[in-house]
Amino acid sequence: MTPTSSRCDFGTLITAIHESPRRGVLTVTGGGSGVLSALLSVAGASATVLEANVPYAEGSLVDWLGFSPPQACSDETARALAMRAFVRATELGGDFGFAVTASLRTVKPKRGEHRAHLAFHDAATTQTWDLALEKDAGSRADEERTVTQTALAALAAALGVGAPAKLAGTVAHAKPGFADLMLGRRSHVATADFDALLPGAFNPLHEGHSRLRSDAERRLGGRVGYELCIANVDKPPLDYIELNDRLAQFDAGEIVVTNAPTFLAKARALGATVFVVGTDTLQRVASPEYYGGLPERDEAIREMAAMGCSFLVYGRADGAAFQTLDDMNLPQPLAAICTGVPEAEFRIDISSTALREGRQDSR
C-alpha cells in the first residue's frame, strides 16, 4: 500500500484526532512506533494519549498481555493488545485502546511477509485492519512511514474524524447490553433463566458440551444453560470479533454471558445455582492460589455455600488416568456442596484444546 496523503494532510488529521473528545491508550510492537511519535509531536496530544507503550521484547509482550501469543504479528495479537490497552484506558478515565503489531524489514532477511495488523477497541466496537507490504521494496524507514500513516488513518476513522481506511479488515459491534457488560456496568446478559450453568470458553463448542448439558438436565430435573465469561483472570477480555464468533455457535436462549471470571463472582452475579464442571475445573476452585490465599479460599467457599450454590462434578481424563470426584482431596466445606457423577454413568473425552490443535495442524 502507498499512502496518497501528504504530510500536511496527516498533520491536519492528527489535529482532528486531538480535537476529538476521545482518549485512549496506544500500544505497538515489532514496528509502528512512528504513530506514537507522530501523535505526540502535534500540539494537543495530552487530550488523546493517556498512555503509550512499546512491549518490544518477547518477555515484555507476554507481561503486557498476560500470555504468550502464538505469533507476535497477527490479527489475534493485535486485538489482544488493543483490548489490553482498552482495559488500561478505562482505568485512566479513557474509552479506547489502539494497537499496532508489525513485522518489518530487519538486518537479517525474513522468511515471512512484511506486514502489519492494526486493531481498535472501545465499548461499542472492535475493528481490525491488515496491511501487506511489498517485501524488500523499500527500507525499514520506508516501511515504518507506511505503517505510521496507515495507523493514523485507521485511528482517525475509528474515532469518526477521518475517512474509512482503505484496507482489508473486520468490524464487529456490541450486541444489546454488551457495552455495559464490557464496562462493568452489569454483571451478565441473558435472555432466559436457568437452574444450573455449564461454564466454559467454548472455543469451540463441541459434542461433549452438549451431551454433558443434556445429562446434567436429566440428573437435576431443571434447565441447564451455558455460561461464557468475557473476562479472564490472566488474559485480556474477549473482543467483539471473538465474542460474536463464539456466540454464533449457540441457539438463542441457551447461554448466559458474564464478566465474572471466578466462581465467587459468578455466584454473586447469578445467585443460587448449580455449576456443572469437570474435575479439572473443580481443582482450580479448590486451589488457594485461585483466590490469593487459603483464608480467602475458605471464605469464598463459605459464601458460595451460604448463597445456595453447589457443583455437579463430572470426571475428566488426567493423562492415562480418569479422575472423578471420589479421587479428589477437597476441603470439607467444598466437598459438602459437590455431587459427583461416576465414570460408569458418563464419560466423554472430547477436548476443546485438542480440537483447536487439530484444526491448526490441518491448516
Side-chain angles (χ1 to χ4, degrees):
M1 173 184 172
T2 302
T4 59
S5 300
S6 67
R7 292 185 180 180
C8 180
D9 291 334
F10 276 96
T12 302
L13 192 61
I14 293 171
T15 298
I17 290 172
H18 291 337
E19 290 177 348
S20 164
R22 311 288 300 276
R23 298 190 300 164
V25 169
L26 295 89
T27 182
V28 303
T29 186
S33 60
V35 69
L36 305 180
S37 177
L39 287 168
L40 295 175
S41 68
V42 175
S46 61
T48 302
V49 181
L50 292 170
E51 184 175 278
N53 60 73
V54 186
Y56 205 79
E58 181 181 357
S60 178
L61 181 62
V62 171
D63 184 64
W64 174 249
L65 288 177
F67 70 100
S68 180
Q71 287 188 336
C73 183
S74 69
D75 174 78
E76 293 80 3
T77 301
R79 285 189 276 124
L81 287 167
M83 176 58 79
R84 179 67 182 87
F86 166 74
V87 172
R88 178 59 176 158
T90 60
E91 294 170 353
L92 297 174
D95 64 358
F96 75 85
F98 183 72
V100 179
T101 176
S103 179
L104 306 180
R105 186 168 183 163
T106 62
V107 174
K108 296 180 179 179
K110 288 191 173 183
R111 294 181 182 179
E113 296 299 318
H114 295 194
R115 65 198 188 279
H117 298 278
L118 323 175
F120 174 94
H121 182 87
D122 64 12
T125 62
T126 300
Q127 298 183 62
T128 66
W129 302 266
D130 303 318
L131 171 64
L133 298 163
E134 188 176 348
K135 193 171 183 178
D136 298 328
S139 66
R140 169 75 181 221
D142 291 332
E143 291 183 340
E144 283 281 6
R145 279 192 292 271
T146 298
V147 173
T148 293
Q149 292 175 351
T150 302
L152 289 172
L155 177 59
L159 296 177
V161 297
K166 296 179 180 179
L167 286 174
T170 305
V171 58
H173 300 283
K175 297 180 183 296
F178 281 37
D180 285 339
L181 188 70
M182 189 70 67
L183 293 170
R185 294 172 180 166
R186 62 189 299 173
S187 61
H188 63 284
V189 175
T191 58
D193 294 324
F194 301 99
D195 302 294
L197 290 172
L198 170 56
F202 308 113
N203 184 29
L205 178 71
H206 55 68
E207 179 189 3
H209 293 128
S210 59
R211 286 176 56 183
L212 192 152
R213 179 192 180 205
S214 295
D215 187 80
E217 287 187 329
R218 179 184 62 80
R219 291 176 185 275
L220 297 171
R223 192 174 183 202
V224 177
Y226 297 109
E227 186 259 339
L228 173 64
C229 181
I230 65 168
N232 189 293
V233 174
D234 300 314
K235 300 179 181 180
L238 297 179
D239 62 77
Y240 291 127
I241 293 174
E242 182 65 32
L243 177 57
N244 290 351
D245 283 348
R246 294 197 198 181
L247 290 177
Q249 302 175 106
F250 300 92
D251 294 330
E254 66 176 6
I255 187 167
V256 176
V257 182
T258 75
N259 63 2
T262 68
F263 279 91
L264 179 58
K266 298 181 200 301
R268 288 171 174 171
L270 302 168
T273 192
V274 180
F275 293 112
V276 180
V277 300
T279 51
D280 54 339
T281 298
L282 189 65
Q283 192 66 59
R284 293 195 297 273
V285 176
S287 173
E289 290 75 18
Y290 187 71
Y291 307 87
L294 187 61
E296 291 83 358
R297 182 202 68 181
D298 293 344
E299 178 57 34
I301 292 172
R302 283 194 292 270
E303 184 176 340
M304 286 189 283
M307 285 189 286
C309 295
S310 61
F311 294 86
L312 179 63
V313 185
Y314 286 79
R316 289 296 300 270
D318 182 14
F322 188 82
Q323 183 185 54
T324 68
L325 180 64
D326 290 339
D327 301 315
M328 301 184 71
N329 182 21
L330 300 175
Q332 194 282 326
L334 178 57
I337 57 174
C338 291
T339 301
V341 177
E343 178 183 1
E345 296 182 15
F346 188 94
R347 174 171 179 169
I348 188 165
D349 294 340
I350 300 175
S351 161
S352 290
T353 300
L355 289 175
R356 285 198 305 276
E357 291 174 349
R359 191 167 55 192
Q360 291 169 354
D361 291 342
S362 66
R363 291 176 181 175

